[in-house]
Amino acid sequence: MFELEIQDLRSIRLRVGRWHFRTWRSRLMKLPKGYRHPELVYAVELLDEDDKSPGQLGTFFSEETAQACVAQLEAEGRADLVVNMIPVHTRLEYWEFDR
Protein backbone atom coordinates (compact mmCIF):
# COMPACT_ATOMS: atom_id res chain seq x y z
CA MET A 1 0.00 0.00 0.00
CA PHE A 2 1.20 3.49 -0.87
CA GLU A 3 -0.44 6.58 0.61
CA LEU A 4 0.61 10.24 0.60
CA GLU A 5 -1.19 12.91 2.63
CA ILE A 6 -0.22 16.59 2.68
CA GLN A 7 -2.08 18.67 5.27
CA ASP A 8 0.26 21.66 4.99
CA LEU A 9 3.98 22.16 4.32
CA ARG A 10 4.88 21.09 7.88
CA SER A 11 2.49 18.13 8.09
CA ILE A 12 3.26 15.54 5.45
CA ARG A 13 2.62 11.81 5.86
CA LEU A 14 3.82 8.96 3.64
CA ARG A 15 2.83 5.33 4.11
CA VAL A 16 4.54 2.51 2.25
CA GLY A 17 3.24 -0.86 3.41
CA ARG A 18 3.69 -1.02 7.18
CA TRP A 19 6.24 1.83 7.23
CA HIS A 20 4.84 5.19 8.21
CA PHE A 21 6.86 8.40 7.64
CA ARG A 22 5.72 11.85 8.74
CA THR A 23 7.13 15.31 9.47
CA TRP A 24 5.81 15.72 13.05
CA ARG A 25 6.22 13.92 16.39
CA SER A 26 8.23 10.76 15.77
CA ARG A 27 9.27 10.82 12.14
CA LEU A 28 9.37 7.06 11.47
CA MET A 29 7.03 4.40 12.79
CA LYS A 30 6.21 0.85 11.86
CA LEU A 31 2.47 0.38 11.89
CA PRO A 32 1.12 -2.55 13.89
CA LYS A 33 0.06 -5.64 12.00
CA GLY A 34 -3.57 -5.31 10.93
CA TYR A 35 -3.58 -1.49 11.14
CA ARG A 36 -6.77 0.06 9.79
CA HIS A 37 -6.93 3.68 8.71
CA PRO A 38 -9.67 5.50 10.65
CA GLU A 39 -13.15 5.77 9.23
CA LEU A 40 -14.44 9.30 8.74
CA VAL A 41 -17.86 10.35 9.97
CA TYR A 42 -19.54 13.70 9.46
CA ALA A 43 -21.34 15.17 12.47
CA VAL A 44 -23.98 17.88 12.10
CA GLU A 45 -23.50 20.19 15.07
CA LEU A 46 -25.22 23.30 16.39
CA LEU A 47 -22.95 26.19 17.40
CA ASP A 48 -23.79 28.43 20.35
CA GLU A 49 -22.99 32.14 20.62
CA ASP A 50 -19.36 31.36 21.66
CA ASP A 51 -18.82 29.17 18.55
CA LYS A 52 -18.77 26.04 20.74
CA SER A 53 -20.73 22.91 20.00
CA PRO A 54 -23.15 21.86 22.76
CA GLY A 55 -23.86 18.59 20.97
CA GLN A 56 -24.45 16.69 17.76
CA LEU A 57 -27.76 16.63 15.93
CA GLY A 58 -26.77 13.71 13.70
CA THR A 59 -23.73 11.81 12.44
CA PHE A 60 -23.36 10.31 8.96
CA PHE A 61 -20.87 8.28 6.94
CA SER A 62 -21.03 10.59 3.90
CA GLU A 63 -20.56 14.33 3.67
CA GLU A 64 -23.38 14.61 1.13
CA THR A 65 -25.86 13.13 3.59
CA ALA A 66 -24.62 15.46 6.34
CA GLN A 67 -25.03 18.47 4.03
CA ALA A 68 -28.56 17.29 3.15
CA CYS A 69 -29.34 17.11 6.88
CA VAL A 70 -28.03 20.68 7.33
CA ALA A 71 -30.19 21.87 4.44
CA GLN A 72 -33.26 20.18 5.90
CA LEU A 73 -32.67 21.62 9.39
CA GLU A 74 -32.04 25.11 7.97
CA ALA A 75 -35.31 24.85 6.03
CA GLU A 76 -37.02 24.08 9.36
CA GLY A 77 -35.60 27.29 10.85
CA ARG A 78 -32.39 26.12 12.54
CA ALA A 79 -29.31 28.34 12.14
CA ASP A 80 -25.61 28.17 13.00
CA LEU A 81 -25.16 24.57 11.86
CA VAL A 82 -21.80 23.12 10.86
CA VAL A 83 -20.51 19.78 9.60
CA ASN A 84 -17.60 18.43 11.64
CA MET A 85 -15.39 15.67 10.19
CA ILE A 86 -14.44 13.12 12.87
CA PRO A 87 -11.97 10.20 12.44
CA VAL A 88 -13.10 7.01 14.20
CA HIS A 89 -10.40 4.49 15.16
CA THR A 90 -11.05 0.85 15.98
CA ARG A 91 -8.18 0.50 18.50
CA LEU A 92 -6.32 2.88 20.80
CA GLU A 93 -2.97 1.85 19.28
CA TYR A 94 -4.16 3.03 15.86
CA TRP A 95 -5.14 6.41 17.28
CA GLU A 96 -1.60 6.81 18.67
CA PHE A 97 -0.21 6.69 15.11
CA ASP A 98 -2.55 9.41 13.83
CA ARG A 99 -2.32 11.98 16.64
Side-chain angles (χ1 to χ4, degrees):
M1 165 175 263
F2 175 80
E3 184 178 332
L4 177 66
E5 178 183 337
I6 300 173
Q7 296 171 356
D8 59 42
L9 293 178
R10 291 178 292 158
S11 300
I12 301 171
R13 177 191 344 221
L14 171 66
R15 178 179 171 197
V16 180
R18 289 181 59 201
W19 292 99
H20 190 85
F21 306 91
R22 63 185 183 186
T23 58
W24 69 96
R25 201 167 159 240
S26 58
R27 302 196 185 288
L28 170 65
M29 295 180 296
K30 188 173 182 184
L31 296 172
K33 197 172 259 224
Y35 172 83
R36 287 184 50 202
H37 200 67
E39 298 284 333
L40 289 178
V41 294
Y42 301 88
V44 176
E45 298 178 349
L46 178 65
L47 294 180
D48 62 11
E49 55 275 348
D50 296 328
D51 285 337
K52 294 184 180 176
S53 175
Q56 299 173 354
L57 300 174
T59 306
F60 305 93
F61 283 109
S62 74
E63 186 175 11
E64 295 80 21
T65 308
Q67 293 294 349
C69 179
V70 167
Q72 180 178 346
L73 290 171
E74 286 176 344
E76 294 173 359
R78 294 271 181 124
D80 296 326
L81 298 171
V82 295
V83 175
N84 187 12
M85 186 173 61
I86 303 171
V88 179
H89 296 82
T90 56
R91 297 177 63 189
L92 178 60
E93 298 84 27
Y94 301 165
W95 171 79
E96 286 288 334
F97 288 99
D98 292 319
R99 323 189 317 184

